[in-house]
Amino acid sequence: MRINERIRTKEVRVIDEEGQMIGVMPPQDAVRIARERGYDLVEVAPQAQPPVCRIIDFGKYQYEQK
C-alpha cells in the first residue's frame, strides 16, 4: 500500500476523510491537503484510472486492520 510521497502517478482521484470526493489532482497537492488536515494520503485503488486515494489516519487504519 502506497502512502503520501510514495504515490508516483501523474494524477489521483481524492476522497476526503468523510467519504466525499474532492476531485482529480496531482498527488503533491493531495498530500498537502491531507497534511493540512492532519491525515495521510493512502492509495486504495491503484488499478483505477486515475488511481483512487483517500485522506485517512494511516496509523489508525493499520491498527483497525489488525
Side-chain angles (χ1 to χ4, degrees):
M1 186 172 289
R2 291 183 280 196
I3 65 168
N4 297 325
E5 285 80 17
R6 293 185 179 168
I7 301 169
R8 303 249 185 235
T9 62
K10 191 159 88 169
E11 292 183 322
V12 293
R13 184 174 309 275
V14 182
I15 300 174
D16 72 8
E17 63 277 11
E18 296 174 6
Q20 300 297 315
M21 187 174 81
I22 296 175
V24 177
M25 63 186 73
Q28 300 87 346
D29 293 348
V31 169
R32 181 181 47 77
I33 291 169
R35 293 239 165 101
E36 286 172 356
R37 296 179 181 194
Y39 294 103
D40 299 297
L41 185 70
V42 179
E43 189 176 56
V44 295
Q47 71 282 2
Q49 200 59 14
V52 178
C53 297
R54 288 196 69 149
I55 296 174
I56 60 173
D57 181 344
F58 188 65
K60 182 178 176 183
Y61 173 78
Q62 283 184 310
Y63 179 77
E64 290 173 353
Q65 293 302 311
K66 292 180 182 183

